[in-house]
Amino acid sequence: MTALQDKPAMPVEKASGSVVATLFRFQSVFGLLAVFVAAIIFSPRRDGAILFLSADNLANVVRAVSEIGIIAVGMTFVILIGGIDLSVGAVLGLAAVGSAVLMVESDWGFLPSIVVVLAIGLVFGALQGMATAMIGIQSFIVTLAGLQIARGLARIWSDGQGVAIAYGDGPNEAPSTFALLGERTFGGLVPIPVLIFAVVAIAAVVFLRISAFSRHLYAVGGNEKAARLSGVPVIRVKIAVFAICGLLASLAGIVHAVQLNQGSPNDGIGYELDAIAAVVIGGTSLAGGRGSVAGTVAGALLLGVLNNILALNNIDSNIQLLIKGLVIVAAAALQRLRPAS
Amino acid sequence: MKIHKLSLAVAAVTALVLAGCGTTSERTSDEPQAQSSKECKGADGKYVIGMSQANVAEPYRQRMDDDIKAAAAEVPQFEVKFADAAQDNAKQVADVDNYITQQIDLLIISPNEAKPLTAVVKKAFDKGIPVLVLDRKVEGDAYTGFIGGDNVQIGTEAGKYVAEKVLPNGGSVVELKGLAGATPQAERNQGFAAGIKANPKIKIIATASGDWLREKGQAQMDALLKANPKIDVVYAHNDPMAEGAYLAAKAVGREKEMKFIGIDALPIPSGGIKAVEQGRLTATFTYPTNGKEAIAAAKKILVDCGTVEKSQVLPTRLIDKANAAQIYALENPNG
């Protein structure tokens, strides 16, 4: 690890560099463009129309990406400080169960349910942050345990059963306000979950650009010891980052429940790996200190477009896995070639 | 400058949120359109069928896909595409969405779970795509036909078989259940209880959950064998768990003391029929994959321009030593 001053003291997006550096910095954006163009070329056609480009299909792509995208934004923060969060899929399941149980079985209102579920994710994340920052357990281990705990809590809370969500004003019905979260807007074209994802992503980008916190974030990820010596409140930064990640996983769980009309304790199995994949493709270094939310968003969209075009062409599901694996390796390999600063 | 940027962002976010609140619902139309909204092209047409499978990790579901593939090969007008949801409801919703985009002519779906798949199945149905639902149901009636087995009936048959044939003089039964929360698990349990009622001398002395898995069935049985010195029958909700229980008993040399009964009877080398033929299981009950029946129904709808029954429940069948070899040869002529 180099000394702190060798690392950009500001978000990487602002770091200046040569043309090559720029290319690498926006690796995932170019990757997304390439996959998008390939999707158009390889899209099945019906009556001369390119099916991939149909408004309905593009809406499906972004809708399917929104949950992983929301989680991946939180994961970016964690990975930026050199950590990892394996609990996000299980926290998503816990939040999906929580919103269903509170609104359907306990007949809570929309707002209190959402606030409590988000708070659960926030506190859960903060506790994991404390365990890793204050006790000094590696985040991989802490969140591996967190995964089991969140999954266990979800199973206990739901009695191990999926909790079906019906909408209405009666008892055992979720408020119709909740149903709106799963609807579409702008002429029935844009799913609300996509708007939520967009808001989260924009807020994260803005936050990283304007807050002093972001300097701390990159400093901790770049060189924790140097950051501590230069007065960065490392422990507070870590706790905050895991809290944000838990909060966003919870938000994704709420979106998940409303999209599927059910909260099941088995929801979100393996989602942590998809989120990590999006972050890696987005060019964020797993060693910490380098990367951007914009890259992650592009990475998530890239995976979404890839999933969609493979499915539209009915590529065998085993070969789909193979292709996705190769894309992740390719993205990581590009990282290694990237100039140091 | 910073404040300016921040307020811009806040404004943008607010605008997005407000836009979101003024949403219009797409799901307002509740009357399902008739399936005949597409003209039937009959025998001259070419048809693409999309099959959305809950997962292919279970041999039963892989076999369902294989049966569909084999049956469709006999119909020259049919081309079938397959998607594997890998037990993820969200993935299965996306799979069906993709089929709708591809404008398939007919959808066959074996849902991972009912509630989360109901809306997207209705969406396909409302677009005029005939939908055949296999094995597990969806809610409401926005589909063309359901084809499945009756798990309560299968459980009842198994219970009756134990009460009348295996233990006419009574005895102790251990029940290995499927994954908690799964409908077939509840129904196979409920049916069995009804089936053994006729013989009050039969006691279920222990139940455990094997989650449909061979290794879990084995581990649970390890413990049950230690706790129970006398077991006459092991009733497992599927063949893999029954096989696991058999292995556990064999490991302590007690496999001859008891009889093992499973469900599913897949005609594959690792399936229940072979296990009965080779003497590990005493009996199993067929749980049809419905693949052949689904393609027959699809042919009726697309090629013959006819209609199908809303619900087609296929009967189960007892497989024991007497008929195992013969049925295996019939169902799997190449195996």
Side-chain angles (χ1 to χ4, degrees), chain B residues 5-81:
Chain B
K5 273 187 185 167
L6 182 63
S7 56
L8 250 182
V10 169
V13 167
T14 317
L16 280 172
V17 169
L18 286 177
C21 293
T23 180
T24 49
S25 167
E26 205 201 22
R27 295 186 207 150
T28 40
S29 79
D30 264 338
E31 69 275 21
Q33 291 164 14
Q35 66 184 68
S36 55
S37 63
K38 270 187 185 166
E39 246 174 71
C40 179
K41 286 179 283 184
D44 300 331
K46 282 267 171 226
Y47 303 98
V48 176
I49 296 173
M51 165 66 195
S52 168
Q53 182 60 272
N55 73 73
V56 291
E58 295 169 59
Y60 169 79
R61 300 188 166 273
Q62 185 63 60
R63 177 73 193 182
M64 188 194 285
D65 278 4
D66 291 346
D67 286 349
I68 288 173
K69 209 173 278 170
E74 310 278 308
V75 186
Q77 292 94 337
F78 283 176
E79 181 201 341
V80 188
K81 298 175 169 188

Side-chain angles (χ1 to χ4, degrees), chain A residues 46 51 54 56-57 60 63-64 67 160-162 164-166 180 182-186 188 192 195 198-199 202 206 210 215 256 260-262 264 267 271 308 311-312 314 317, chain B residues 2 5-6 9 13 16-17 19-27 81-82 84 88-91 93-95 97-99 101-104 113 115-116 119 123 127 179-181:
Chain A
R46 191 60 75 91
L51 290 185
S54 71
D56 251 357
N57 187 57
N60 286 340
R63 188 197 57 71
E67 291 166 25
Q161 315 266 354
I165 300 173
L180 290 180
E183 299 289 351
R184 294 178 170 206
T185 183
F186 295 125
I192 307 275
L195 287 183
V199 169
I202 292 169
V206 170
I210 64 172
R215 267 194 292 280
H256 187 85
L260 294 175
N261 288 335
Q262 180 192 26
S264 157
D267 283 341
Y271 281 31
N308 181 255
L312 283 185
N314 287 103
S317 56
Chain B
K2 271 184 185 172
K5 273 187 185 167
L6 182 63
V13 167
L16 280 172
V17 169
C21 293
T23 180
T24 49
S25 167
E26 205 201 22
R27 295 186 207 150
K81 298 175 169 188
F82 293 87
D84 166 20
D88 182 348
N89 295 319
K91 165 107 169 50
V93 169
D95 286 343
D97 266 334
N98 286 333
Y99 280 145
T101 304
Q102 294 176 56
Q103 301 168 28
I104 53 164
E113 284 182 275
K115 186 79 189 178
K123 183 168 150 194
K127 295 219 169 190
L179 186 68

Side-chain angles (χ1 to χ4, degrees), chain A residues 24 27 290 329-340:
Chain A
F24 275 104
Q27 165 192 321
R290 202 164 68 178
V329 171
L334 276 176
Q335 285 258 332
R336 302 284 303 169
L337 298 173
R338 182 172 161 174

Side-chain angles (χ1 to χ4, degrees), chain A residues 35-55:
Chain A
V35 172
F36 199 87
V37 170
I40 294 172
I41 295 169
F42 291 113
S43 164
R45 280 145 221 263
R46 191 60 75 91
D47 307 324
I50 298 169
L51 290 185
F52 171 74
L53 283 182
S54 71

Side-chain angles (χ1 to χ4, degrees), chain B residues 164-227:
Chain B
E164 291 165 10
K165 299 271 162 60
V166 187
L167 300 175
N169 301 319
S172 329
V173 176
V174 159
E175 183 172 355
L176 285 176
K177 293 157 81 168
L179 186 68
T183 341
Q185 177 267 139
E187 291 170 349
R188 288 175 184 186
N189 166 266
Q190 182 198 334
F192 188 76
I196 56 169
K197 238 188 201 147
N199 187 342
K201 283 181 285 183
I202 290 179
K203 293 240 160 15
I204 297 182
I205 53 167
T207 60
S209 189
D211 298 357
W212 307 120
L213 300 171
R214 192 181 172 107
E215 62 270 27
K216 270 238 166 143
Q218 187 178 16
Q220 295 283 20
M221 192 65 191
D222 281 336
L224 290 172
L225 282 164
K226 287 213 175 67

Side-chain angles (χ1 to χ4, degrees), chain A residues 103-131:
Chain A
M103 280 188 267
V104 174
E105 291 182 356
S106 311
D107 268 322
W108 282 31
F110 170 72
L111 265 183
S113 310
I114 297 295
V115 168
V116 165
V117 168
L118 288 177
I120 289 172
L122 184 89
V123 171
F124 196 89
L127 289 173
Q128 295 189 126
M130 283 179 199

Side-chain angles (χ1 to χ4, degrees), chain B residues 61-320:
Chain B
R61 300 188 166 273
Q62 185 63 60
R63 177 73 193 182
M64 188 194 285
D65 278 4
D66 291 346
D67 286 349
I68 288 173
K69 209 173 278 170
E74 310 278 308
V75 186
Q77 292 94 337
F78 283 176
E79 181 201 341
V80 188
K81 298 175 169 188
F82 293 87
D84 166 20
Q87 297 186 322
D88 182 348
N89 295 319
K91 165 107 169 50
Q92 195 163 26
V93 169
D95 286 343
V96 176
D97 266 334
N98 286 333
Y99 280 145
I100 296 172
T101 304
Q102 294 176 56
Q103 301 168 28
I104 53 164
D105 299 293
L106 182 135
L107 171 69
I108 305 177
I109 178 168
S110 192
N112 190 45
E113 284 182 275
K115 186 79 189 178
L117 272 308
T118 299
V120 78
V121 163
K122 182 176 186 315
K123 183 168 150 194
F125 185 72
D126 286 351
K127 295 219 169 190
I129 300 172
V131 182
L132 297 172
V133 182
L134 299 196
D135 179 38
R136 296 181 192 165
K137 292 181 182 166
V138 290
E139 296 185 343
D141 58 358
Y143 57 85
T144 313
F146 166 79
I147 309 173
D150 181 341
N151 281 305
V152 176
Q153 191 215 336
I154 292 173
T156 310
E157 297 281 332
K160 274 192 194 151
Y161 176 75
V162 169
E164 291 165 10
K165 299 271 162 60
V166 187
L167 300 175
N169 301 319
S172 329
V173 176
V174 159
E175 183 172 355
L176 285 176
K177 293 157 81 168
L179 186 68
T183 341
Q185 177 267 139
E187 291 170 349
R188 288 175 184 186
N189 166 266
Q190 182 198 334
F192 188 76
I196 56 169
K197 238 188 201 147
N199 187 342
K201 283 181 285 183
I202 290 179
K203 293 240 160 15
I204 297 182
I205 53 167
T207 60
S209 189
D211 298 357
W212 307 120
L213 300 171
R214 192 181 172 107
E215 62 270 27
K216 270 238 166 143
Q218 187 178 16
Q220 295 283 20
M221 192 65 191
D222 281 336
L224 290 172
L225 282 164
K226 287 213 175 67
N228 301 286
K230 187 174 174 297
I231 300 172
D232 299 308
V233 163
V234 177
Y235 162 60
H237 288 186
N238 74 357
D239 294 332
M241 291 191 296
E243 288 253 30
Y246 172 83
L247 290 174
K250 189 156 183 267
V252 291
R254 288 176 60 185
E255 82 276 12
K256 298 231 159 43
E257 290 170 25
M258 58 196 85
K259 306 229 184 285
F260 299 86
I261 291 165
I263 290 179
D264 278 355
L266 286 189
I268 55 174
S270 60
I273 301 184
K274 270 279 172 225
V276 171
E277 197 184 325
Q278 292 160 357
R280 294 189 299 277
L281 305 190
T282 303
T284 179
F285 293 81
T286 55
Y287 185 58
T289 68
N290 315 310
K292 221 191 306 173
E293 289 75 12
I295 291 298
K299 186 161 176 277
K300 237 186 207 170
I301 295 167
L302 296 173
V303 179
D304 307 338
C305 300
T307 52
V308 294
E309 287 170 70
K310 190 84 189 176
S311 177
Q312 189 185 346
V313 175
L314 300 172
T316 184
R317 181 171 186 184
L318 166 73
I319 309 279
D320 59 11

